[in-house]
Amino acid sequence: MRTHDVVVVGAGLAGMRAAIAAHEAGVDVALVTKLHPVRSHSGAAQGGINAALGNETEDSTDNHTFDTVKGADYIGDQDAIEILCQRAPLEIYQLEHWGAVFSRQEDSGKIAQRPFGGAGFPRTCYAADLTGLVILHTLYTVCVKYDIPTYEEWFVTDLVTDDDGNAVGVVAYDMIHGTIETIGAKAVVMATGGAGRVYRPSTNAHASTGDAMGMALRKGVPLKDMEFMQFHPTTLAANGVLVTEGARGEGGYLLNKDGDRFMTKYAPNKLELASRDVVSRAEATEIMEGRGIDGCVMLDLRHLGRDRIMERLPQIRELAIAFAGTDPIVEPIPIRPGAHYHMGGVHVDNWGAAPHMPGLFAAGECSCVSVHGANRLGGNSLLEAVVFGARAGEASAAYVQEHSAAPKVPSNAAAETQARIENLLARDKGIRQSEIRDELADVMQEKVGVYRSGPVLGEAKRTVTELRERFQSVVVDDKGKTFNTDLIHTLETGFLLDLADCMVTGAIARTESRGAHSRTDFTERDDENWMKHTLSYLDDGEVRLDYSEVAMTKYEPQVRSY
Ligand SMILES: Cc1cc2nc3c(=O)[nH]c(=O)nc-3n(C[C@H](O)[C@H](O)[C@H](O)COP(=O)(O)OP(=O)(O)OC[C@H]3O[C@@H](n4cnc5c(N)ncnc54)[C@H](O)[C@@H]3O)c2cc1C
């Protein structure tokens, strides 16, 4: 068995930032990742990363904090949001010193900042429309420089605990050799990214299947605020590919079929740069009321001109040409709201530590601190990944320094995983995972979307329950040992089903409208009864809900308008 002081699962922004922080704190840390690190979904992030540098106009961390609290529709934890915004400039400069090439102001040479949705000031630092890719590669070079051991293309299947319920390592399936391996550790940091693939279409990579959430849930660790799934206002109809908010930040308009700039009606002050939940609802309403075109509205960039589009949004132009057959220099792009970002995740504190399991930490999109509450602001998630990635890395190192005894990894840690996989491979009749996955994603899209209602959510719950039952007889056709993606997708589908159940169950219970959770049968925010986080547990396969308090510092809830 291999052992390390800290094992970090996931090598996107959050995982690599955590590993770098733990390494710098002097502990032996390793990364385990099902993808090569630079294939992580962070690399698809386009628009940018927020920090109140004040390079374009005056700005402050207080402004950033307030915008985030308001964007979250007041159930983000205000102490955590203060930490996020205060550390933001330091992390940007740190990334820059490590070599991240941000776009610059022409005259001063300072880091340029673009306006983004829900933000009172231009605060989003960017590298053209390839920000995530630039930061991901930067962190990878630091990991290589530090020689951090990395188990690439190892799919982590389970979290390992000792007899006292402490996290002491993980079990992983080595995808190249088809073997099952145990890695012991004094602390485990989960950083496996989002669960956007519960839906289709989705802006998320195929690998964004919420694995850490599923593993934690099965070990009794609660997930927080699972009902809040963000729909991004501008995704391409053909395949859900994202068109960055930066397109509206640069001045793009949204038009309906009559050529009206409809956001004047829904958000008269911020228009297209209102918060994402507000813009997505406006688009959905226009489309439902018959003012869309083929289920879409139009994103018009023509007035920005060729030069600006080519300089600031080159990737968006390529994507629009490839997947919508539209060159935004000459015609508007048809777009619609699409599943994009999951606000919920493994319940952790402001250091990324899971209060229900000593030794377990989580960071990035798989975690819920919570800084995004009911609705995340664009540009705050790359930021969360680096800030709370770093903090989880630091905290896990400190934990290891306090708990220096060797981890008590049970000798049969991998046996249950081994048996589960052997059983799966032995079955030669049954339903294929792809059928279940597609049906699940369709029902979530149709019934747990931008607008929700009790009866329709009830139908979704019944389908999800039935799909979980049918999954008991799933068959893996590929019996091979090398790169058995059929097997990997089956394990992922198991996680997706559990997470979908938490999302639907939490959404049924929350009888109010807040942020991304918008109920047509309970249209108002209800602070008296619902100013609280949802916690989901899995008891004998059934989702059970509990609630926890929202941390308030100095921001009183207000009516949220843009
Ligand atoms: C198209 C797109 C554009 C975006 N644009 C922006 C933007 O401009 N600004 C912004 O702030 N946010 C943006 N976001 C959101 C942001 O990119 C993500 O929330 C963030 O990058 C998540 O980082 P992460 O490190 O948590 O996860 P990821 O980058 O998704 O990394 C997950 C890692 O976990 C590993 N992993 C997963 N499961 C397992 C397993 N079972 N075993 C082993 N390893 C595993 C993967 O291999 C991968 O290395 C965007 C998201 C998308 C989808």
Side-chain angles (χ1 to χ4, degrees):
M1 183 182 70
R2 296 160 175 85
T3 55
H4 297 276
D5 288 337
V6 177
V7 60
V8 179
V9 183
L13 254 54
M16 289 202 283
R17 187 66 190 85
I20 291 166
H23 174 89
E24 288 182 337
V27 301
D28 159 33
V29 54
L31 284 159
V32 194
T33 171
K34 68 180 176 182
L35 306 172
H36 185 279
V38 299
R39 293 189 62 224
S40 303
H41 185 63
S42 293
Q46 304 166 349
I49 175 165
N50 295 338
L53 305 180
N55 287 354
E56 303 287 341
T57 57
E58 280 208 1
D59 196 3
S60 67
T61 49
D62 267 0
N63 293 335
H64 188 183
T65 306
F66 172 71
D67 288 342
T68 305
V69 169
K70 177 179 169 185
D73 218 348
Y74 294 94
I75 62 159
D77 287 324
Q78 296 183 9
D79 53 355
I81 296 173
E82 284 171 11
I83 293 169
L84 176 83
C85 300
Q86 277 161 13
R87 187 155 170 171
L90 299 176
E91 283 296 323
I92 297 294
Y93 296 136
Q94 176 64 79
L95 289 169
E96 198 198 21
H97 294 167
W98 278 330
V101 184
F102 289 107
S103 294
R104 302 263 155 189
Q105 290 176 343
E106 239 168 63
D107 42 356
S108 73
K110 288 182 182 170
I111 294 175
Q113 298 192 273
R114 56 168 49 130
F116 242 51
F121 300 85
R123 185 181 293 141
T124 305
C125 310
Y126 57 97
D129 54 2
L130 301 163
T131 315
L133 191 76
V134 166
I135 300 177
L136 189 70
H137 279 258
T138 302
L139 292 180
Y140 184 59
T141 59
V142 180
C143 289
V144 171
K145 183 177 86 175
Y146 286 159
D147 212 5
I148 293 173
T150 304
Y151 301 92
E152 273 166 30
E153 295 174 329
W154 281 36
F155 182 96
V156 174
T157 59
D158 294 275
L159 186 57
V160 178
T161 47
D162 64 14
D163 292 344
D164 300 321
N166 304 305
V168 291
V170 295
V171 176
Y173 178 79
D174 172 350
M175 293 160 66
I176 301 171
H177 303 100
T179 53
I180 291 168
E181 310 284 346
T182 306
I183 308 178
K186 295 169 193 161
V188 176
V189 181
M190 288 291 189
T192 66
R197 282 282 154 183
V198 171
Y199 286 77
R200 82 167 177 177
S202 161
T203 66
N204 283 203
H206 284 276
S208 299
T209 48
D211 303 359
M213 289 178 244
M215 286 180 241
L217 188 68
R218 289 174 191 176
K219 283 284 181 182
V221 174
L223 306 182
K224 188 156 77 196
D225 292 343
M226 293 296 283
E227 61 271 37
F228 296 108
M229 170 61 75
Q230 175 167 82
F231 288 79
H232 193 290
T234 56
T235 70
L236 299 179
N239 52 8
V241 162
L242 180 78
V243 175
T244 173
E245 190 162 286
R248 282 169 289 135
E250 294 295 335
Y253 302 151
L254 292 172
L255 306 175
N256 65 17
K257 83 169 181 355
D258 305 319
D260 291 335
R261 214 176 146 189
F262 56 84
M263 285 311 298
T264 50
K265 195 163 66 187
Y266 300 93
N269 297 317
K270 298 294 289 181
L271 299 167
E272 283 83 1
L273 289 180
S275 223
R276 285 182 180 168
D277 55 333
V278 176
V279 183
S280 286
R281 276 195 292 279
E283 291 178 359
T285 306
E286 290 294 303
I287 295 165
M288 271 176 343
E289 293 181 355
R291 292 184 296 280
I293 304 171
D294 297 334
C296 292
V297 291
M298 294 291 163
L299 173 66
D300 195 352
L301 304 179
R302 288 172 297 180
H303 54 286
L304 302 181
R306 166 182 286 272
D307 290 351
R308 183 140 175 182
I309 292 175
M310 295 305 288
E311 185 204 327
R312 302 278 177 91
L313 302 165
Q315 186 190 190
I316 293 310
R317 177 169 181 254
E318 272 176 36
L319 292 171
I321 293 173
F323 297 118
T326 305
D327 182 348
I329 294 174
V330 292
E331 50 187 334
I333 315 170
I335 52 86
R336 64 182 186 185
H340 176 56
Y341 180 87
H342 185 223
M343 271 74 74
V346 178
H347 171 46
V348 292
D349 67 16
N350 292 347
W351 282 103
H356 293 73
M357 185 181 281
L360 177 66
F361 299 79
E365 195 169 334
C366 75
S367 71
C368 183
V369 175
S370 132
V371 291
H372 308 303
N375 171 67
R376 166 177 81 88
L377 294 188
N380 265 356
S381 149
L382 293 181
L383 179 64
E384 184 202 2
V386 291
V387 167
F388 286 93
R391 284 173 68 88
E394 290 159 7
S396 62
Y399 178 89
V400 162
Q401 280 148 358
E402 273 168 34
H403 301 78
S404 51
K408 292 189 209 126
V409 182
S411 57
N412 61 351
E416 199 266 333
T417 314
Q418 183 94 41
R420 192 167 5 121
I421 290 180
E422 277 169 11
N423 271 343
L424 267 175
L425 293 175
R427 192 177 301 145
D428 49 25
K429 265 204 212 76
I431 185 164
R432 302 185 68 192
Q433 57 78 23
S434 56
E435 271 179 58
I436 293 191
R437 201 189 259 224
D438 288 352
E439 257 188 71
L440 174 72
D442 288 342
V443 75
M444 293 298 286
Q445 180 71 21
E446 214 179 294
K447 298 188 170 159
V448 199
V450 174
Y451 285 113
R452 294 130 183 234
S453 78
V456 178
L457 287 169
E459 290 169 21
K461 170 86 184 176
R462 281 193 288 283
T463 309
V464 171
T465 307
E466 187 197 302
L467 288 171
R468 286 183 70 196
E469 278 160 20
R470 282 162 65 199
F471 185 70
Q472 299 306 316
S473 56
V474 70
V475 64
V476 177
D477 289 331
D478 182 353
K479 310 292 180 198
K481 289 259 181 207
T482 311
F483 266 103
N484 188 339
T485 48
D486 192 10
L487 172 64
I488 295 301
H489 291 169
T490 303
L491 299 172
E492 290 172 343
T493 303
F495 293 135
L496 290 174
L497 285 165
D498 290 353
L499 302 182
D501 204 346
C502 296
M503 290 176 188
V504 178
T505 309
I508 291 174
R510 189 174 280 275
T511 47
E512 64 157 355
S513 286
R514 185 186 296 272
H517 174 68
S518 189
R519 297 259 315 230
T520 53
D521 46 355
F522 295 93
T523 54
E524 299 300 315
R525 192 175 83 197
D526 176 0
D527 288 340
E528 203 171 310
N529 295 302
W530 287 104
M531 182 64 89
K532 54 190 181 187
H533 296 294
T534 307
L535 297 180
S536 317
Y537 295 80
L538 206 56
D539 287 351
D540 294 331
E542 291 286 317
V543 176
R544 172 174 63 84
L545 301 181
D546 194 1
Y547 293 91
S548 73
E549 269 181 34
V550 174
M552 298 274 183
T553 56
K554 57 184 179 190
Y555 303 95
E556 286 297 320
Q558 297 170 10
V559 175
R560 187 162 159 263
S561 62
Y562 287 96

